[in-house]
Amino acid sequence: MTTPDLFAADTKPAEFARLTELRRVLHEHAHRYYVLDAPVIPDAEYDRLFQELQAIEVKHPQWMTPDSPTQRVGGKVLDGLSPVRHAVPMLSIETETDTTAQGAQDFDARVRKALGLQEFDLPVEYAAELKFDGLAINLRYEHGVLVQAATRGDGETGEDVTQNVRTIGQIPLRLNGCDAPVLEVRGEIYMRRDDFEALNEKQREKGDKTFINPRNTAAGAIRQLDPNLVAQRQLSFFAYGLGEVRGWSLPSTHAQMLDALQAMGLPVCAERSVAHGAAGLTAFHEAIRAKRDALPFDIDGVVYKVNALALQQQLGFKTREPRWAVAHKYPAQEMLTRLNDIEIQVGRTGKLTPVAKLEPVFVGGTTVSNATLHNLFEMRKKNVRVGDRVIVRRAGDVIPEVVGRFDPVAVGEDAVMAGNELVVSPAKARDPYVRNFRMPKKCPVCNSDVVREKGEANHRCTGGLFCSAQRKQAMLHFAQRRAVDVDGLGDKLVDQLVDGGVVKTVPDLYRLGLTALASLERMADKSAQNIVDALEKSKQTTLPRFIFGLGIRHVGEATAKALARHFGKLDAIMDASQEQLLQVSDVGPIVAQSIHTFFQQTHNREVVEQLRACGLRWEEGDPSPAAQLPLVGKTFVLTGTLPTLSREQAKEMLEAAGAKVAGSVSKKTDYLVAGEEAGSKLAKAGELGVAVIDEAGLQALLGSAAG
Ligand code: IVH
């Protein structure tokens, strides 16, 4: 007979070894995934290992440690953030606002003077890096384990945001090869522009208010009291310095220190270099300026730091700022200007977009006079009207947008208190007779009816391919570089072709002869030949590019790739049922329906056939094996107490079938599995119209999925 004790004694070492091994492996994969962006195992495999670890920890709570990968998932809601006194104050940095080379020269001159260097002495060596536009954070590692994360606050005292920071996948919970009693790492938490755009797109779809910029969104998220909410924002991190250090011998330069932090598993931005003298700094400033728009995140400048730590010490500090560092700015990405007028633009899917006609303003490095206002509801929420002063944002290659109204009252400008009343100076107050903007009832291009579907934020022209604006946009979408890539087919040429009745549909483009093109006004023979060549070249394409180019609503590049990978062949996608489409990772009910409806339309199938007949071709493959998991692409949320299954078990079963299990209900949720005493999540599901099932329903789903 085996007593429970004997049993435990028997298996503990093996299980414990497994636990240690799982933690090691998961740390490594998390690093590859979040930091190196080079995962070597599929997400599902990571999830499986993660659950195995979770299961062991649930069984043996005494083996739990704060650096376990399972500790990243949110925790309980806090009452408030507690203050943290910084062991070493978090200083600010002097800013060089002169965005020309002079900024670098002035800093270098100050450093040389303070070091007592003569003209004939060698150039000073600097570490040059980016000035990330996020929020500063202090990560305290003790014996290699993350024990605390604190915001900068006033520099002396910040706030404890450890729970929230734990949810950021890029931040290691344990350092590689560093057992120092204390190592405080300082850096910036920020949000990538694509993550920010995706978040705002979701907000727009829901008709919720959008966020102003990635920086505010990241800063707001990190001070949230509910770590589960933070986990839903995609935050990122870069290390750039140190706080308190005990028991770790510092390298001799800042650049080496960054390399060491990177080797410990911390993300350090690759855009960094060692520069010599003012000339080296200027070259860095210029090189990064040229790249600024192509970076995946916002920066507002670069930072120069004297590289040798010994020299940093020698230079020391002014009151709040070190003498050895400076931030050298670029032109701002957000500016104030006047909204002169609002026009309507008709897009590829018929969407009517209000476009702001602005008093031209220099923002993000170019002069902007048009910016999107997205839709009527967002405009209303932002409360912008013609004549207002508005904030325009242009960052990266994202279309410039009006992010809000500049409210002189809210910022205390132009407003005075008269007794108890706030009086806005009449010159700056909004003219009370400015009419609120309304959407037109008819399409300004083709005069078809404009409609807004229930629950939709956008107004649409119902003209379809009758509307020349939609046809033009469809062609431009198809021809763009990221799609089928017809070099030289820009909006001017498309306007000419469509307005002149030369082409009606995308396949018509491929039937254009050299003579037809060359006979267009302002078209040189050479340019006509270039277009013909470009069209010919574009025929050899790839399946994802072709699918993306079709312009199916809700099908972006990522979805197009997922579809191609999953089905392998175009015909399989065209004939897929909604259920089959739902099996593709990241395809939810709305997207599945959109794809299905698209290929149900005879005219769309005809376009595809005609394009094939015109000679468009791509390689096709076999469907991916992930297609075999029955619940791939479905997102579940569990709530309340289920009659027989524990939540963990239910989660495991669902994930084994390929489903995703999320922590909170959103529009993306496919099913809420509700047990006894289900609370706010059930209400939320009701609000959003998410399907609610009980345990029996879940079992049925799993059963039928397995069959
Ligand atoms: S070093 C003693 N390096 O800029 C120098 N700061 O006022 C401490 N920042 O909010 C800062 N990128 O979060 C440093 N590469 C970088 C930075 C950087 C952004 C932020 C920092 C702080 C402000 C400094």
Side-chain angles (χ1 to χ4, degrees):
M1 207 186 88
T2 343
T3 69
D5 260 328
L6 268 175
F7 183 70
D10 235 20
T11 56
K12 179 172 166 180
E15 234 182 353
F16 191 78
R18 180 67 186 151
L19 168 122
T20 316
E21 175 64 5
L22 282 168
R23 283 183 186 163
R24 190 190 64 75
V25 170
L26 285 165
H27 274 308
E28 185 185 320
H29 288 305
H31 179 67
R32 282 177 174 281
Y33 182 89
Y34 290 113
V35 182
L36 306 179
D37 213 4
V40 287
I41 55 169
D43 295 1
E45 176 61 10
Y46 180 88
D47 292 347
R48 201 191 57 73
L49 296 170
F50 189 89
Q51 285 148 25
E52 191 186 338
L53 173 61
Q54 247 175 352
I56 303 181
E57 286 176 350
V58 168
K59 217 165 119 192
H60 304 282
Q62 74 280 12
W63 293 346
M64 192 61 162
T65 57
D67 66 325
S68 170
T70 57
Q71 294 312 292
R72 281 200 195 283
V73 247
K76 61 174 195 302
V77 178
L78 305 173
D79 297 330
L81 302 174
S82 5
V84 172
R85 201 168 164 83
H86 298 300
V88 175
M90 290 181 81
L91 301 174
S92 57
I93 203 168
E94 192 179 341
T95 302
E96 202 55 74
T97 44
D98 186 332
T99 62
T100 69
Q102 191 64 45
Q105 283 153 14
D106 290 350
F107 171 63
D108 182 55
R110 283 200 301 277
V111 169
R112 291 186 74 86
K113 186 162 174 237
L115 290 173
L117 296 177
Q118 305 289 316
E119 243 170 87
F120 49 79
D121 285 317
L122 286 175
V124 174
E125 189 175 278
Y126 297 100
E129 53 199 53
L130 306 184
K131 183 155 193 306
F132 312 108
D133 204 5
L135 74 144
I137 200 92
N138 184 66
L139 305 175
R140 187 177 174 90
Y141 289 89
E142 291 180 2
H143 302 284
V145 175
L146 177 68
V147 293
Q148 188 181 62
T151 60
R152 175 164 177 260
D154 63 4
E156 301 289 332
T157 308
E159 285 172 314
D160 187 334
V161 289
T162 314
Q163 278 215 59
N164 290 344
V165 165
R166 279 182 188 290
T167 67
I168 303 175
Q170 287 193 343
I171 296 184
L173 300 177
R174 161 179 282 284
L175 298 176
N176 264 337
C178 175
D179 281 336
V182 177
L183 182 71
E184 285 188 353
V185 176
R186 289 183 176 169
E188 197 89 347
I189 289 181
Y190 67 96
M191 198 172 188
R192 290 170 52 105
R193 276 198 289 262
D194 54 357
D195 290 330
F196 173 74
E197 293 302 326
L199 174 67
N200 264 355
E201 199 47 52
K202 267 196 231 157
Q203 295 292 105
R204 241 169 254 138
E205 262 173 33
K206 284 193 283 184
D208 285 350
K209 193 168 173 168
T210 49
F211 296 91
I212 300 252
N213 57 37
R215 200 190 71 80
N216 292 2
T217 314
I222 227 52
R223 300 191 61 257
Q224 283 278 347
L225 296 180
D226 181 357
N228 297 300
L229 286 180
V230 191
Q232 286 166 31
R233 300 267 182 281
Q234 299 289 331
L235 300 181
S236 302
F237 173 77
F238 280 133
Y240 56 60
L242 296 175
E244 188 187 8
V245 176
R246 272 193 262 155
W248 188 64
S249 50
L250 289 171
S252 58
T253 67
H254 181 81
Q256 286 166 358
M257 184 266 289
L258 292 183
D259 292 343
L261 294 182
Q262 185 162 13
M264 291 177 198
L266 286 152
V268 180
C269 182
E271 297 292 349
R272 62 182 191 272
S273 83
V274 171
H276 295 92
L281 296 181
T282 308
F284 184 78
H285 192 252
E286 274 312 307
I288 298 298
R289 184 206 299 273
K291 265 192 209 171
R292 185 187 188 191
D293 280 356
L295 294 172
F297 45 82
D298 284 358
I299 58 168
D300 53 3
V302 290
V303 177
Y304 311 137
K305 296 171 182 172
V306 171
N307 200 22
L309 299 191
L311 290 185
Q312 287 190 3
Q313 259 212 311
Q314 194 181 325
L315 284 160
F317 300 87
K318 291 188 273 185
T319 18
R320 305 285 316 144
E321 299 154 348
R323 281 197 197 85
W324 46 263
V326 81
H328 191 189
K329 293 272 204 172
Y330 292 121
Q333 288 173 321
E334 277 176 20
M335 291 293 281
L336 275 184
T337 190
R338 184 176 181 278
L339 174 59
N340 286 334
D341 200 1
I342 298 171
E343 279 181 8
I344 292 295
Q345 223 168 54
V346 184
R348 174 171 56 84
T349 57
K351 183 189 161 200
L352 268 53
T353 303
V355 176
K357 298 282 150 179
L358 303 168
E359 199 56 43
V361 61
F362 191 67
V363 50
T366 53
T367 302
V368 168
S369 42
N370 294 318
T372 179
L373 283 159
H374 297 291
N375 63 48
L376 184 67
F377 296 90
E378 253 205 68
M379 276 175 63
R380 291 277 155 81
K381 288 213 182 78
K382 288 175 184 160
N383 188 19
V384 285
R385 293 195 199 180
V386 170
D388 283 347
R389 279 209 282 165
V390 291
I391 303 161
V392 187
R393 174 177 155 86
R394 183 196 166 272
D397 44 18
V398 179
I399 305 165
E401 60 175 338
V402 172
V403 291
R405 173 165 111 90
F406 176 77
D407 186 348
V409 180
V411 298
E413 190 186 288
D414 309 318
V416 284
M417 291 298 284
N420 271 340
E421 243 178 346
L422 192 64
V423 180
V424 182
S425 95
K428 297 290 166 65
R430 178 190 264 172
D431 178 349
Y433 300 108
V434 177
R435 211 166 74 96
N436 213 348
F437 177 80
R438 283 178 214 296
M439 278 291 186
K441 297 248 181 319
K442 300 279 184 192
C443 171
V445 175
C446 73
N447 211 34
S448 300
D449 287 343
V450 166
V451 296
R452 184 174 63 85
E453 279 157 36
K454 222 178 129 213
E456 265 259 348
N458 296 320
H459 290 73
R460 283 176 203 282
C461 158
T462 53
L465 289 180
F466 171 73
C467 179
S468 66
Q470 294 189 45
R471 268 187 284 136
K472 287 177 186 173
Q473 293 300 325
M475 275 176 218
L476 288 169
H477 177 82
F478 185 82
Q480 69 175 298
R481 181 150 308 149
R482 285 150 52 214
V484 172
D485 190 12
V486 185
D487 197 23
L489 195 79
D491 41 11
K492 295 231 166 54
L493 181 55
V494 168
D495 278 351
Q496 249 182 315
L497 291 169
V498 175
D499 293 341
V502 187
V503 297
K504 278 207 153 58
T505 65
V506 174
D508 287 348
L509 287 170
Y510 289 94
R511 299 183 194 117
L512 271 175
L514 187 58
T515 8
L517 271 165
S519 67
L520 289 175
E521 245 177 82
R522 295 186 305 275
M523 173 72 80
D525 287 352
K526 177 86 173 52
S527 320
Q529 185 60 52
N530 286 345
I531 298 288
V532 171
D533 293 346
L535 280 161
E536 191 55 39
K537 190 168 161 233
S538 72
K539 288 181 184 171
Q540 179 64 56
T541 186
T542 66
L543 184 53
R545 280 169 173 271
F546 185 80
I547 299 167
F548 173 58
L550 290 176
I552 306 167
R553 243 176 110 188
H554 305 299
V555 178
E557 272 179 292
T559 309
K561 280 186 191 148
L563 287 166
R565 205 180 317 121
H566 185 97
F567 289 101
K569 296 180 172 55
L570 183 61
D571 286 327
I573 301 173
M574 291 173 66
D575 296 334
S577 66
Q578 288 196 47
E579 287 69 33
Q580 286 168 325
L581 288 163
L582 278 169
Q583 316 232 322
V584 182
S585 61
D586 266 3
V587 171
I590 293 174
V591 185
Q593 189 187 359
S594 166
I595 299 166
H596 186 71
T597 315
F598 183 92
F599 287 118
Q600 289 284 290
Q601 314 297 310
T602 343
H603 61 94
N604 288 333
R605 296 183 85 98
E606 269 166 23
V607 164
V608 170
E609 285 328 311
Q610 288 174 25
L611 286 169
R612 274 176 169 153
C614 289
L616 270 91
R617 55 194 182 270
W618 52 86
E619 267 177 40
E620 300 208 322
D622 292 321
S624 82
Q628 266 102 59
L629 283 180
L631 292 182
V632 168
K634 298 281 188 193
T635 304
F636 286 74
V637 173
L638 304 165
T639 187
T641 317
L642 301 177
T644 69
L645 291 174
S646 74
R647 261 210 231 172
E648 229 17 78
Q649 286 169 319
K651 183 168 181 232
E652 236 162 75
M653 290 163 74
L654 281 165
E655 290 184 331
K660 227 191 258 164
V661 180
S664 63
V665 177
S666 74
K667 245 180 122 177
K668 276 204 165 169
T669 313
D670 296 299
Y671 294 99
L672 177 73
V673 185
E676 292 239 358
E677 282 173 5
S680 62
K681 287 179 186 167
L682 187 57
K684 183 87 196 258
E687 247 170 66
L688 294 175
V690 168
V692 179
I693 56 174
D694 58 9
E695 185 180 310
L698 171 67
Q699 298 279 19
L701 210 57
L702 285 164
S704 67

